[in-house]
Amino acid sequence: MARKIRFFHEQVEKAGMTVGMRAMLDKGYDMDELEGKLEELEAEMLEANGNSERLARSYNELMELQLVLEKAGSFFDSARAEAAAESFGERAYSVPEAMDAPLLESALPSAAASAGRLGFVAGVIPQEKLNGFERLLFRATRGNMFLRQTPVGSVRDPATGELQEKHVFVVFYAGERARTKVLKICEAFAANRYPFPEDPSRQRQMHGDVTTRLRELRTTIDAGQRHREGVLQNIAFNLEQWATQVRRCVVGQSWARVVRCVVGQSWARVVRCVVGQSWARVVRCVVGQSWARVVRCVVGQSWARVVRCVVGQSWARVVRCVVGQSWARVVRCVVGQSWARVVRCVVGQSWARVVRCVVGQSWARVVRCVVGQSWARVVRWGKTRVRREKAVYHTLNKLSMDTSRKVLVAEAWCPLAAKPRVHEALRQAAQASSTQVSTVLQPLMTADPPPTYFKTDMFTTCFQAIVDAYGIARYREVNPAVFTIVTFPFLFAVMFGDFGHGLLMMMFAAYLLINEKALLKQKLDEIFDMLFGGRYCIVLMATFSIFTGLIYNEFFSMPMTLFGGTRARCFINGSVDEAIRDMRACPEHGGEVAFPKGMPPYPFGVDPVWHGTKSELPFLNSMKMKMSILLGVVHMNLGIMMSLFNNLYFRDRLSTICEFIPQMIFLNSLFGYLCIAIVYKWLSAKQTDLYHVMIYMFLSPGTVDEAGFLFPGQAGLQVFLLLISFAAVPWMLFPKPFILKKRHEASERQRSMYDMVGFDGDEDEEARRGLVAGNAASSSHAAANSHGGGGGHGHGDHFDFGEVVVHQMIHTIEFVLGAVSNTASYLRLWALSLAHSQLSAVFYDRVLMMTIGLNNPLAMMIGFFVFFCATMGVLMVMESLSAFLHALRLHWVEFQNKFYRGDGYAFAPFSFEHHE
């Protein structure tokens, strides 16, 4: 009954009436009669409200139909008047050429009739949606439509009942397909369509019928409004009396009945549900006496006076406050203090002590027993639920509302592999919500490029992040992260190669992997979180550093003999002196260090005899420099091969022929030949100066002197390689722009023959030409916009031949100059490796060994401490960061620019993990 009283209060206030104050002279209703009376009045009010809403909707729809009949009828009347004037002028100034010509115009063959009849759709649309409505109609029908519209001022919308500025429109179209598109667009823009007859007599008849129905509806609505106002006046006149009677009834009953009225269950059941024991036992347990004795003992007065003493207000006021609000708010509103203070005032003990006395356990243990988790975890769970709810509602706010069907419409991207799971999730959601309408998942055709999504795990995430930092891959583009998993840590290790430093890095990576689960649960700082995210990359970098350290044969700059001693021997007077094992002592005995003929080379890596000698630096410089060039050319060739895979997937044969092939020819005819010369020199043990070979290959082609001789036929091969490398430059520059121009012109000619229907007048003809030109340009760029270089020229659908030529020229010059600069850029592998080795040697020789040579324990401890700090701070931190950044540059600039566009956008699915 309290709910019904509140409902009547809301209806009276909404109607702008005031609640009357009526003296209670009569006896009034008893509670059963009052309850029946309130139910009857509530049903009557609900029925009156529903009828009023339905009648108002029908009235607003008829008002819009009347406006359509008036405004659209004026369109047709003006068109008929113009057509009649034109036909009258033609008949006045034309004379039949033959006597047997028909006198009636209807006897003449009608070209319009042979062309087919035009259909039309009439309706009403809000003013703010009119511009988008007209543009979409024009694009969807390719201009084969004619739209007439006129404003009608403020009209009440039938769906919402709000005043909106609206326009009456009439869309003329030709063909059934155009009709289907027009109807769908009207439905999408929530435009209200209404029937409109072509016959003027039927229009006038329908207008009269609508006017009659509007008058009838107006009379019915007024009558219903008067009836509703009469009911509300009666209710407002008696509402205060009924509310007072309900409150007195509640107050005049026992506390148990009040609890039953408010909570819906008996008081004893409430206490048993909360505490687990009966109320009498609770009172006896807390106080040690019965409830009646508690009241009399604590207060010394009756219960009514206890309420007035504690609360400071009458009991009736307390009941009124309890019935209308939540319990926490009731306590604060009635008592003016917190619940814990109320308990302390009434019982004489704190709330925690009461809980411990009643339940036998602490409050935290009660929460753990009831919920199954700690209080902090309960609070964290509550916050997570709130964040999830906010995320869900924030996403729902992005959905569009279809007012005609009363549904929410969402457009989203979904991975193809996840489509069955999305179907199943929608089915389970519909089943759990017990809805009668199932969710519809329908694929849409769109011209927007899809987002890029790569499924990664904990191992591959860091490598994908390295690539994504450069740019997100275009949809279906080759993903460089697959090759980066191997090439990135390997190139890092080439610059950081040392067996001992690799072991230290592996120990740090092992710590991250062993404590992976514990660290995942912790909130790390920004730097350590970045290191932890790349833990698997650090493992591979450490592994390859150990591998390259074995090749360089360095352990904290000291040589190792893991694969045996040196293969060099000390030659004295042409014979080997086996007694001398330390090759550094051989010059002191007048001997010479050399490798005996027939002696096999060192099994793995650099022979330890080179370390500590005068020829160590020249030998290692030559070896690492040539190794850097070999790795760089192989890496760049891999990048160009990836462009071939892109071209093959996107079926871009033009880029394959005009870019991939000449690029491979240019790069390998020069620097590929240099790599072959390096390997041949190593295998043949020749002393040829490769600097001399490459310089005079350009300065004097066709001639090879003694200093640059490698093999017979070298001069002719070098001339041939120069010629094809020079021919590859115009091959990259000229053919592609002219072929794109020819394709564009052919597409223009093909589309110019397209028979466009439904265009009359100069403006429509210009629109038709613009539409065809745009379609032709877009089709001609279908291949150019793919991943082969030189695509995507011009602005939008506009094809500019000059811009295409300039873009291709820039692309060609960039590759030709980049082939030289990128190859030189890979020499950083040699430079960083040399710097790392020399710094390690300086710290070892000039810090550690120098203090050990002093034979002073204190100096040894200081020297070891300085050596440790220098190794960890300079070599393990600064040098590793430097090698990491240089490896990053080699991948981004020298490798990925050969094929990787990186102009896509990442797939960002809705996930609760981002909100927790």
Side-chain angles (χ1 to χ4, degrees):
M1 286 189 292
R3 181 190 61 79
K4 296 180 179 65
I5 294 296
R6 290 195 299 272
F7 170 71
F8 292 145
H9 268 290
E10 294 173 359
Q11 295 298 317
V12 169
E13 291 176 359
K14 189 182 295 184
M17 301 179 181
T18 57
V19 178
M21 302 299 295
R22 181 180 178 184
M24 297 180 60
L25 301 177
D26 55 348
K27 182 177 180 293
Y29 303 98
D30 60 12
M31 290 308 297
D32 294 335
E33 293 176 351
L34 181 60
E35 185 175 5
K37 181 66 175 178
L38 293 178
E39 288 181 359
E40 181 182 351
L41 289 174
E42 183 185 24
E44 187 175 0
M45 283 302 302
L46 292 175
E47 184 179 1
N49 292 339
N51 292 336
S52 178
E53 292 177 0
R54 286 192 294 271
L55 290 174
R57 182 182 181 88
S58 301
Y59 182 81
N60 293 332
E61 289 177 350
L62 287 175
M63 284 294 297
E64 289 190 349
L65 176 57
Q66 187 182 39
L67 292 172
V68 170
L69 291 173
E70 293 176 357
K71 300 298 181 179
S74 64
F75 295 159
F76 282 85
D77 292 341
S78 61
R80 292 192 191 97
E82 293 175 2
E86 292 178 1
S87 62
F88 176 77
E90 291 177 359
R91 288 197 299 270
Y93 293 99
S94 62
V95 178
E97 297 180 357
M99 295 299 295
D100 56 350
L103 298 178
L104 296 178
E105 185 180 355
S106 58
L108 292 173
S110 177
S114 62
R117 295 179 59 83
L118 293 177
F120 63 89
V121 172
V124 180
I125 188 170
Q127 182 178 352
E128 64 271 11
K129 297 182 180 180
L130 182 61
N131 293 332
F133 178 69
E134 185 174 359
R135 284 196 299 269
L136 187 56
L137 281 174
F138 184 85
R139 293 174 181 173
T141 61
R142 296 180 178 270
N144 297 322
M145 67 90 194
F146 180 69
L147 175 66
R148 291 291 302 273
Q149 52 84 19
T150 182
V152 294
S154 297
V155 181
R156 288 199 179 273
D157 188 71
T160 62
E162 298 177 355
L163 284 175
Q164 293 183 355
E165 294 291 330
K166 292 196 174 185
H167 285 237
V168 171
F169 68 89
V170 179
V171 182
F172 297 91
Y173 57 84
E176 186 63 27
R177 294 182 61 185
R179 176 181 179 274
T180 305
K181 292 180 180 179
V182 171
L183 294 180
K184 288 184 178 180
I185 293 173
C186 291
E187 184 179 354
F189 279 83
N192 299 329
R193 294 182 289 107
Y194 295 100
F196 185 79
E198 297 184 30
D199 189 7
S201 60
R202 292 187 57 194
Q203 294 176 15
R204 290 190 292 270
Q205 180 184 357
M206 181 179 286
H207 187 275
D209 295 341
V210 170
T211 305
T212 304
R213 289 184 60 191
L214 281 173
R215 285 198 297 267
E216 295 174 355
L217 273 178
R218 184 74 269 171
T219 304
T220 306
I221 292 174
D222 293 341
Q225 189 67 23
R226 288 193 297 270
H227 171 70
R228 184 172 180 273
E229 289 178 357
V231 175
L232 283 176
Q233 287 177 357
N234 183 27
I235 293 175
F237 188 68
N238 297 283
L239 188 58
E240 186 64 26
Q241 177 187 356
W242 294 340
T244 305
Q245 188 173 353
V246 170
R247 289 194 296 268
R248 286 182 177 179
C249 176
V250 174
V251 175
Q253 296 178 6
S254 64
W255 174 248
R257 191 155 185 187
V258 172
V259 173
R260 183 182 298 275
C261 178
V262 176
V263 183
Q265 296 181 357
S266 64
W267 175 249
R269 194 161 184 185
V270 171
V271 173
R272 186 178 298 278
C273 177
V274 175
V275 183
Q277 297 179 357
S278 65
W279 175 244
R281 194 162 182 184
V282 170
V283 174
R284 187 177 299 278
C285 178
V286 175
V287 186
Q289 296 179 355
S290 64
W291 176 246
R293 291 192 69 178
V294 167
V295 174
R296 185 175 294 110
C297 178
V298 174
V299 185
Q301 296 177 357
S302 64
W303 174 244
R305 292 196 69 175
V306 168
V307 174
R308 185 178 298 277
C309 177
V310 175
V311 182
Q313 296 178 358
S314 65
W315 178 244
R317 194 92 182 263
V318 172
V319 174
R320 183 181 304 145
C321 185
V322 171
V323 173
Q325 297 181 2
S326 64
W327 177 245
R329 198 164 178 186
V330 166
V331 174
R332 188 173 299 277
C333 176
V334 174
V335 185
Q337 297 177 353
S338 64
W339 173 244
R341 197 157 182 185
V342 171
V343 173
R344 185 180 298 275
C345 177
V346 176
V347 184
Q349 296 180 354
S350 64
W351 173 245
R353 195 159 183 184
V354 169
V355 173
R356 184 181 298 277
C357 180
V358 174
V359 185
Q361 297 179 351
S362 64
W363 174 245
R365 197 157 182 186
V366 169
V367 173
R368 184 179 297 276
C369 179
V370 175
V371 184
Q373 297 178 351
S374 63
W375 175 246
R377 198 161 182 182
V378 170
V379 173
R380 192 182 303 116
W381 174 81
K383 291 182 178 180
T384 302
R385 287 292 300 272
V386 171
R387 284 195 292 265
R388 288 186 175 184
E389 290 292 333
K390 290 178 63 177
V392 169
Y393 282 105
H394 178 69
T395 304
L396 289 176
N397 289 335
K398 299 179 180 179
L399 274 59
S400 58
M401 180 69 179
D402 189 348
T403 57
S404 60
R405 299 183 180 178
K406 300 295 180 63
V407 295
L408 291 174
V409 180
E411 293 183 6
W413 294 105
C414 171
L416 191 60
K419 191 176 179 180
R421 290 193 297 159
V422 174
H423 269 294
E424 181 63 21
L426 292 175
R427 187 192 64 80
Q428 292 179 0
Q431 183 178 1
S433 60
S434 301
T435 180
Q436 297 179 355
V437 181
S438 61
T439 307
V440 178
L441 182 63
Q442 180 66 32
L444 297 177
M445 299 300 294
T446 177
D448 297 333
T452 302
Y453 171 66
F454 295 114
K455 189 175 182 180
T456 58
D457 52 18
M458 289 191 296
F459 180 80
T460 58
T461 299
C462 58
F463 299 100
Q464 188 64 54
I466 291 175
V467 175
D468 291 345
Y470 177 83
I472 305 299
R474 189 183 293 185
Y475 184 66
R476 291 294 185 179
E477 188 178 17
V478 171
N479 185 15
V482 179
F483 305 96
T484 304
I485 295 175
V486 176
T487 58
F488 183 85
F490 178 73
L491 293 182
F492 170 87
V494 171
M495 297 178 279
F496 193 76
D498 189 284
F499 189 83
H501 297 155
L503 286 178
L504 291 178
M505 185 174 290
M506 182 62 75
M507 293 170 60
F508 176 69
Y511 165 78
L512 295 179
L513 294 180
I514 292 173
N515 300 277
E516 182 179 30
K517 294 183 179 180
L519 293 175
L520 282 173
K521 300 176 182 178
Q522 299 178 11
K523 187 175 182 180
L524 309 176
D525 60 84
E526 185 177 358
I527 296 179
F528 193 78
D529 183 63
M530 182 174 58
L531 292 173
F532 179 71
R535 57 194 179 278
Y536 292 101
C537 182
I538 297 176
V539 170
L540 290 182
M541 291 192 300
T543 303
F544 281 109
S545 297
I546 294 173
F547 172 74
T548 54
L550 291 175
I551 292 179
Y552 298 157
N553 202 355
E554 291 184 357
F555 180 83
F556 296 107
S557 78
M558 296 180 292
M560 299 178 293
T561 57
L562 296 178
F563 302 97
T566 178
R567 297 298 188 264
R569 294 293 183 266
C570 182
F571 286 84
I572 301 178
N573 298 325
S575 61
V576 178
D577 189 352
E578 297 291 344
I580 301 175
R581 306 304 300 174
D582 188 0
M583 296 297 108
R584 290 175 294 182
C586 182
E588 299 177 358
H589 294 81
E592 180 182 36
V593 178
F595 291 94
K597 292 184 177 180
M599 177 72 70
Y602 198 71
F604 190 85
V606 178
D607 195 298
V609 73
W610 294 102
H611 291 276
T613 62
K614 294 181 180 180
S615 57
E616 175 188 6
L617 194 58
F619 171 76
L620 293 180
N621 274 345
S622 176
M623 182 197 72
K624 292 182 178 180
M625 183 188 303
K626 295 179 175 63
M627 180 185 66
S628 300
I629 294 176
L630 290 174
L631 294 176
V633 173
V634 171
H635 203 210
M636 288 189 291
N637 274 284
L638 177 62
I640 300 176
M641 287 298 299
M642 294 304 102
S643 68
L644 174 64
F645 294 150
N646 280 333
N647 297 335
L648 293 178
Y649 179 82
F650 292 103
R651 299 178 182 178
D652 188 7
R653 294 185 59 189
L654 179 61
S655 296
T656 302
I657 297 174
C658 297
E659 290 186 351
F660 167 74
I661 295 177
Q663 286 176 0
M664 291 293 291
I665 291 175
F666 183 84
L667 180 65
N668 291 289
S669 62
L670 298 180
F671 301 102
Y673 171 69
L674 175 61
C675 294
I676 295 175
I678 291 173
V679 176
Y680 182 80
K681 179 182 177 181
W682 283 348
L683 295 177
S684 61
K686 289 182 176 291
Q687 300 297 320
T688 305
D689 187 1
L690 295 182
Y691 292 110
H692 186 86
V693 172
M694 295 303 297
I695 291 174
Y696 283 93
M697 177 179 175
F698 290 92
L699 294 181
S700 58
T703 59
V704 177
D705 55 9
E706 183 178 355
F709 179 78
L710 277 175
F711 52 86
Q714 178 182 353
L717 177 61
Q718 291 181 170
V719 171
F720 173 74
L721 293 177
L722 278 177
L723 291 177
I724 62 174
S725 63
F726 289 154
V729 176
W731 189 354
M732 283 186 283
L733 178 59
F734 296 110
K736 185 173 182 179
F738 287 98
I739 293 175
L740 288 176
K741 182 181 178 182
K742 291 293 183 182
R743 288 183 178 180
H744 175 70
E745 293 174 351
S747 179
E748 283 289 317
R749 288 193 299 270
Q750 181 181 1
R751 292 186 179 275
S752 64
M753 295 185 294
Y754 178 71
D755 186 16
M756 302 294 292
V757 296
F759 288 99
D760 295 317
D762 296 336
E763 295 180 359
D764 292 338
E765 184 63 24
E766 290 176 2
R768 181 185 69 82
R769 285 199 298 267
L771 182 62
V772 174
N775 291 336
S778 61
S779 64
S780 65
H781 282 282
N785 281 332
S786 64
H787 290 254
H793 315 301
H795 301 283
D797 292 336
H798 177 64
F799 181 86
D800 188 351
F801 176 70
E803 188 175 353
V804 173
V805 172
V806 171
H807 188 280
Q808 191 67 22
M809 184 183 300
I810 294 174
H811 182 72
T812 303
I813 296 174
E814 181 184 9
F815 179 82
V816 172
L817 298 181
V820 181
S821 63
N822 292 346
T823 304
S825 180
Y826 278 94
L827 292 177
R828 69 184 69 240
L829 299 174
W830 155 56
L832 268 292
S833 175
L834 178 64
H836 184 83
S837 176
Q838 293 303 310
L839 277 175
S840 180
V842 167
F843 292 148
Y844 177 75
D845 294 333
R846 301 301 178 184
V847 176
L848 183 62
M849 297 306 298
M850 186 179 66
T851 54
I852 292 177
L854 297 177
N855 294 325
N856 187 340
L858 180 61
M860 293 180 185
M861 294 176 60
I862 295 175
F864 180 78
F865 176 77
V866 173
F867 172 75
F868 176 80
C869 293
T871 300
M872 299 302 296
V874 178
L875 296 178
M876 295 304 300
V877 177
M878 297 177 61
E879 276 290 311
S880 63
L881 180 60
S882 175
F884 181 90
L885 294 177
H886 283 284
L888 199 64
R889 183 247 157 75
L890 291 177
H891 279 77
W892 283 357
V893 180
E894 278 72 28
F895 174 59
Q896 292 180 187
N897 74 339
K898 302 294 187 299
F899 67 97
Y900 189 63
R901 297 288 176 179
D903 55 356
Y905 64 100
F907 174 63
F910 176 82
S911 175
F912 287 126
E913 296 179 358
H914 302 298
H915 303 280
E916 296 179 359

